[in-house]
Amino acid sequence: MNSYKDLDIYKIALDLFYQVHPVTLLLPKYELYELGSQLRRSSDSVVSNIIEGYGRKRYKADFIRFLVFSHSSCLETKGHLEKIHNLYEGLIPDNLKFINDYDILGAKIFNFIKYVEENWKT
C-alpha cells in the first residue's frame, strides 16, 4: 500500500461522494442549505477522514481514530439519506441504492479498523 488511493474504502467512498453530491441539488430550495448541506459535508467527511488517517498511519492510534471518524460520518450520511427517503420519497433516483451502498461501505470501514487494530505495525 503506497497511498490512501490504494485503499478500497477510499475508492468506494470517493465514488459515492461524487454520485451523492449532485443529487443533493435536487432537494427543495429550503433544504439545499439544511439537509442537503449536511449530506454533502458528511459524505465528504467519510473520504477526508480516510485520507487524514492514512497521513497519520505512522501512529496507529491516530490512524484508527480517523478511521472511526470516517465510519461515524458514513453512518451519518446513511442517516441523512434515510431522512430524505422518508421526507421526499422518489425525489432522488437510486436513493435506496445509496443507502445500501453506504451500509456496505460502513461494514468495509469497520472491518478495516479491525484489521488495523490487529495487524498494523507502527
Side-chain angles (χ1 to χ4, degrees), residues 5-62:
K5 293 180 181 182
D6 296 329
L7 296 172
D8 285 340
I9 58 171
Y10 167 78
K11 293 173 189 174
I12 295 166
L14 185 62
D15 182 55
L16 282 171
F17 169 77
Y18 285 135
Q19 290 179 53
V20 167
H21 189 275
V23 300
T24 64
L25 303 176
L26 299 173
L27 289 167
K29 195 169 193 94
Y30 57 88
E31 287 285 20
L32 286 178
Y33 302 106
E34 297 293 331
L35 191 51
S37 175
Q38 289 177 321
L39 178 54
R40 287 188 295 275
R41 286 184 287 119
S42 66
S43 66
D44 183 41
S45 181
V46 177
V47 178
S48 298
N49 280 300
I50 292 168
I51 295 169
E52 187 163 358
Y54 187 87
R56 297 168 185 250
K57 71 183 185 309
R58 181 174 186 182
Y59 306 102
K60 182 177 179 176
D62 276 357

Side-chain angles (χ1 to χ4, degrees), residues 77-109:
T77 301
K78 182 182 168 194
H80 294 318
L81 289 164
E82 289 170 343
K83 287 185 270 184
I84 290 169
H85 175 72
N86 290 318
L87 291 171
Y88 308 106
E89 187 173 356
L91 180 69
I92 294 180
D94 297 328
N95 194 45
L96 290 175
K97 178 190 169 305
F98 291 141
I99 292 168
N100 185 60
D101 289 347
Y102 272 100
D103 198 35
I104 292 168
L105 175 60
K108 288 181 181 290
I109 295 169

Side-chain angles (χ1 to χ4, degrees), residues 22 113 116:
I113 291 168
V116 171

